[in-house]
Amino acid sequence: MAKILLTSFQTWLPHQSSNSSDDLLEEIAQLNSLSHSLAFLRHLPVDIAGASDRTITKINELQPDIVICCGMAESRYQLTVESNASRGDTILRNSLDLDGLIEGLVETVISHDAGKFVCEGLYYSVLHHLHKTGMKKHSLFVHVPVLTPRNIDGIVADFQLIMERLASL
């Protein structure tokens, strides 16, 4: 049974009643059909250092097999799995076969732009930490669009399949 750490953020703008990354994790937490051990680190601060410190501490504590960090992408309409993260001139690439990971998924695409905000900062920190410590863990950043009655079922289904596929690697 794979141990998966899932993270989400707080809201950061006054008009946001919730953060879609956290809304998705709430949906996942309600499912009874998962065959994994899930750990949640929800409501991370919208601050690179704070979010990174809390996440790395939890990684070190739990030693999960998989880390999936989730962030909100209000302007996107599908789940997007991020291929890389950068800090300055340094780019860290995800080593996963993302094409294979999302093959056949309806609501998911690959992105090569993690957004230059706290999401990318957290993803970079997690990738860097796993690399420098030699942890052989899978890590992924997923941007979540605003969830609506029209897209929620497909997004939850795709996210479940992403977890299943990562767990089988």
Side-chain angles (χ1 to χ4, degrees):
M1 176 183 305
K3 188 185 313 182
I4 303 174
L5 174 62
L6 301 168
T7 74
S8 66
F9 286 101
Q10 300 171 341
T11 59
W12 72 97
L13 294 173
H15 72 274
Q16 297 167 335
S17 60
S18 66
N19 186 305
S20 60
S21 68
D22 193 61
D23 297 342
L24 176 60
L25 294 195
E26 180 62 31
E27 291 290 325
I28 295 301
Q30 300 303 317
L31 298 175
N32 295 322
S33 61
L34 297 175
S35 59
H36 314 297
S37 170
L38 301 181
F40 294 90
L41 183 57
R42 296 175 59 189
H43 305 284
L44 288 172
V46 183
D47 167 76
I48 294 171
S52 297
D53 289 346
R54 286 186 57 199
T55 302
I56 289 168
T57 297
K58 189 60 84 172
I59 290 169
N60 291 338
E61 173 190 322
L62 294 177
Q63 297 291 309
D65 303 300
I66 302 161
V67 179
I68 303 175
C69 299
C70 300
M72 183 175 188
E74 283 185 302
S75 64
R76 298 183 188 182
Y77 298 98
Q78 294 174 293
L79 281 180
T80 50
V81 295
E82 298 297 340
S83 66
N84 66 79
S86 63
R87 182 173 291 159
D89 292 336
T90 305
I91 299 173
L92 298 179
R93 300 192 190 291
N94 188 308
S95 61
L96 295 166
D97 172 12
L98 296 181
D99 289 318
L101 183 66
I102 70 163
E103 185 176 340
L105 300 183
V106 177
E107 296 289 340
T108 307
V109 295
I110 298 169
S111 166
H112 306 289
D113 179 2
K116 307 295 180 224
F117 190 47
V118 69
C119 294
E120 183 165 45
L122 173 61
Y123 193 28
Y124 183 93
S125 295
V126 169
L127 290 171
H128 182 261
H129 177 71
L130 294 176
H131 177 74
K132 81 174 183 174
T133 59
M135 291 181 170
K136 302 294 184 205
K137 313 291 182 192
H138 297 296
S139 179
L140 185 65
F141 196 98
V142 178
H143 269 113
V144 182
V146 173
L147 299 178
T148 67
R150 188 167 164 229
N151 71 7
I152 192 167
D153 291 340
I155 286 174
V156 169
D158 277 11
F159 195 80
Q160 282 184 270
L161 279 170
I162 288 169
M163 288 191 302
E164 292 290 333
R165 290 174 180 177
L166 287 172
S168 70
L169 295 176

